[in-house]
Amino acid sequence: MTGTRSSAPSSPSAGEPQGSAREREIVEARVVVTSPGRNFVTLKLVTRSGVYGLGDATLNGRELAVASYLQDHVVPNLIGRDAGRIEDTWQFLHRGAYWRRGPVTMTAIAAVDVALWDILGKMAGLPLYRLLGGRSREGALVYGHANGRDIGEASDAVGGFLEQGFLAVRAQCGVPGVKKAYGISSGKAYEPAESELPAETVWNTPRYLETAPKLFERLRADHGSQVELLHDVHHRLSPIEAARLARDLEPYRLFWLEDATPAENQQAFELIRQHSVTALAVGEVFNSIWDCKHLIERQLIDYIRTTIVHGGGISHVRRLADFAALYQVRTGFHGATDLSPVTMGAALHFDTWVPNFGIQEYMFHSEETDAVFPHDYALREGRLHVGDTPGHGVDLDEALAAKYPYAPKQLPVARLEDGSMWDW
Ligand code: GCO
Ligand code: MG
C-alpha cells in the first residue's frame, strides 16, 4: 500500500542547506504489513532528500483497521508536507480529525509521529534520545516474562531469567482447574493471538486468588529478596477482589501488580489504595493522557504503561510522562512481542532520556522478526542499551518483509464457568 507525489525522491539540489524545507518534503508514504511469526504494520515516510523514517502501527488483532486508517485517511494528508513539522502534524491528525482518541486513531498517529522523529534524527545525525534531551541513564532496566503450568515450573522459569542476568522478572503460573490461564504459553514463546477467530478460555477468580499469593511466596523462598518480581492480573478482578489480592501479595514486595481491575473506571483504584501498599501499574490499553488523568492526579498508580505505539507517539507520551512526573508516577512501558522492534527502539530511546523512568517490559522477538527489523539495541546485564545510530535505530528489510504475508489472528476471549463473557 503506498501514496506518492509524482516527483520521486531526488538528491538535494546544489546550494540547498542540509535539511531544507524542500529536502524535508514528504514525497512517499508506504504502509507495510508483514507477518514474520506474527503480524506487524509499519509506516515508512520518505522525504525528497531520500531520508526515510519508520513508525510502528501494530494493534494486535486489529492490524488492518490501522493499516486502512493510515492508507485511506492519513497518507493523502502527508504527501507534500514538511517532515520537520512534527508537532503541527500531530495536532493536525488529532485535533483536525474531529473524532479524537481511540486505539486505532492513536496508533495511526503514533506511526506518523515516530516516523517523523526518526527522520529528524537522521537529518540531524543524532540518535533520538539526544533529540529528546540526552541521556539520563546508561541502560533501561527491563523485565522478562517467566511462566509455568504450575508454581514449580514458574519458579524454574524465573531461575532461568536470573541466570541470563535479568534483574526483574514478571511471573505467571497456571491456576488449578483453569485451562489456558492468562500468560501461560502452549509453545516456547508466549503469543496470545494464536488463531483466526478468538480462542475461548474459561476463568475462575476464586481459584486464581488462592494461587497467586502461593506463587510469590514460593518465588521469594526460591530466589530471595533481591530480584524484582512483577505480576499481571490482566484486568480480571473486581475492585474489591483487586484490593484483597494487592493486600495478600504485600509480604512478597512486588515491583508492581499490573492491571488488577479494568481501569475505564479510574475511581476503582481508590479502593485498592485504601487497602494496600503494593505498587500498581496500569495503562497498556490506554491511548491518551485523558485515560489516566485521574489515576495520576490522585496518585492511585505508581507506574504508567502507555507506550509510544498505542499512545499517539513520542509527542503525546512525552506529555504524559511529564505530567506523571509531577506526581512521582514513573514509566513502565508495555513491551510485549506484539509491539514491533520499531516501537521497542523508540521506547528505549525514550527510556534512556525520560527522568521519571521506572522499568521497560521486554520479551524476545522471534529470529524472523529480528531479521525483518534490524536494530542496534542490545541487552547487557539486565538492561537494554540503545546505540548511537541516528533516529531510533530500527530499520525494515522490505524485501524480507514481503516474504511473510499477513495472516489474520485475534486475541482470545474469556468466559466464566457459567458461560458469561469476562475480561480476557
Ligand atoms: C503484557 C500484556 C500483553 C498483552 C498483549 C495484548 O503485559 O505484556 O498484558 O501480553 O496481553 O500485548 O496484545
Ligand atoms: Mg499487561
Side-chain angles (χ1 to χ4, degrees):
M1 294 196 259
T2 159
T4 45
R5 168 154 275 204
S6 43
S7 47
S10 61
S11 318
S13 20
E16 269 185 50
Q18 166 74 21
S20 70
R22 192 178 135 77
E23 283 188 301
R24 291 194 308 261
E25 186 187 344
I26 298 170
V27 293
E28 189 178 349
R30 281 207 291 281
V31 181
V32 178
V33 182
T34 178
S35 192
R38 70 157 354 278
N39 292 315
F40 296 108
V41 180
T42 310
L43 176 70
K44 179 168 186 171
L45 299 180
V46 187
T47 60
R48 184 172 295 284
S49 65
V51 171
Y52 62 88
L54 297 171
D56 179 21
T58 310
L59 186 60
N60 203 1
R62 295 292 182 270
E63 294 87 358
L64 298 188
V66 186
S68 157
Y69 192 104
L70 282 170
Q71 187 60 46
D72 298 327
H73 307 290
V74 173
V75 163
N77 292 291
L78 297 178
I79 305 301
R81 247 168 216 277
D82 179 349
R85 297 197 176 196
I86 301 177
E87 186 62 45
D88 184 65
T89 303
W90 196 94
Q91 299 292 337
F92 177 89
L93 295 172
H94 184 72
R95 293 188 162 198
Y98 186 63
W99 310 109
R100 292 184 191 178
R101 301 166 58 182
V104 174
T105 300
M106 294 302 272
T107 301
I109 295 177
V112 177
D113 187 75
V114 171
L116 294 180
W117 279 96
D118 194 26
I119 289 172
L120 181 65
K122 287 173 176 170
M123 286 193 160
L126 291 172
L128 177 55
Y129 74 85
R130 290 204 45 203
L131 301 179
L132 291 169
R135 190 181 280 286
S136 296
R137 56 193 55 78
E138 295 312 315
L141 175 69
V142 295
Y143 69 91
H145 274 216
N147 64 70
R149 281 167 297 180
D150 56 29
I151 290 176
E153 242 184 51
S155 182
D156 291 347
V158 169
F161 275 93
L162 296 180
E163 277 166 25
Q164 291 176 65
F166 276 78
L167 304 168
V169 188
R170 177 188 111 152
Q172 310 288 138
C173 76
V175 176
V178 171
K179 273 194 215 150
K180 283 177 97 51
Y182 166 75
I184 313 307
S185 51
S186 35
K188 200 166 155 266
Y190 167 67
E191 173 50 69
E194 282 175 326
S195 47
E196 191 165 342
L197 292 177
E200 297 263 349
T201 66
V202 178
W203 179 244
N204 184 319
T205 296
R207 295 290 83 76
Y208 166 74
L209 286 177
E210 242 174 64
T211 309
K214 290 184 192 154
L215 167 65
F216 286 92
E217 183 182 17
R218 170 75 179 268
L219 294 180
R220 283 294 175 216
D222 288 358
H223 304 292
S225 61
Q226 296 301 301
V227 54
E228 298 289 6
L229 294 172
L230 302 84
H231 183 66
D232 190 351
V233 184
H234 222 259
H235 324 269
R236 305 289 169 93
L237 301 177
S238 71
I240 196 67
E241 289 161 352
R244 205 176 104 206
L245 179 64
R247 199 189 55 191
D248 289 352
L249 289 173
E250 266 174 17
Y252 314 113
R253 203 190 43 79
L254 264 58
F255 186 92
W256 79 35
L257 181 67
E258 175 185 340
D259 288 334
T261 191
E264 286 97 344
N265 170 15
Q266 298 185 37
Q267 278 84 353
F269 280 74
E270 285 167 21
L271 195 66
I272 311 178
R273 280 292 208 222
Q274 280 162 24
H275 295 280
S276 117
V277 292
T278 292
L280 301 173
V282 167
E284 69 182 37
V285 297
F286 294 167
N287 45 73
S288 161
I289 203 164
W290 300 99
D291 295 330
C292 46
K293 184 169 173 288
H294 181 87
L295 284 170
I296 291 173
E297 263 172 359
R298 301 296 298 268
Q299 295 180 238
L300 301 176
I301 56 171
D302 303 280
Y303 298 92
I304 182 69
R305 290 198 26 81
T306 311
T307 192
I308 288 164
V309 61
H310 301 136
I314 290 159
S315 299
H316 190 65
V317 173
R318 184 171 60 166
R319 282 198 177 97
L320 208 173
D322 281 342
F323 174 63
L326 300 180
Y327 301 92
Q328 289 160 285
V329 172
R330 295 193 280 158
T331 62
F333 287 166
H334 188 199
T337 35
D338 46 285
L339 284 59
S340 96
V342 172
T343 286
M344 186 54 68
L348 288 169
H349 280 270
F350 197 100
D351 295 338
T352 301
W353 155 72
V354 71
N356 49 322
F357 171 73
I359 199 165
Q360 169 69 53
E361 180 178 18
Y362 179 56
M363 294 171 75
F364 299 102
H365 282 113
S366 68
E367 276 176 28
E368 292 96 317
T369 300
D370 282 340
V372 168
F373 297 98
H375 52 259
D376 70 352
Y377 54 79
L379 183 67
R380 288 196 297 276
E381 292 162 2
R383 293 190 167 83
L384 271 168
H385 300 257
V386 286
D388 274 324
T389 308
H392 55 51
V394 185
D395 209 345
L396 170 68
D397 181 336
E398 288 186 77
L400 194 56
K403 295 191 178 151
Y404 298 103
Y406 169 73
K409 294 265 167 57
Q410 293 195 50
L411 286 168
V413 296
R415 292 182 189 274
L416 299 182
E417 282 166 347
D418 70 357
S420 323
M421 281 297 300
W422 201 246
D423 302 286
W424 175 74

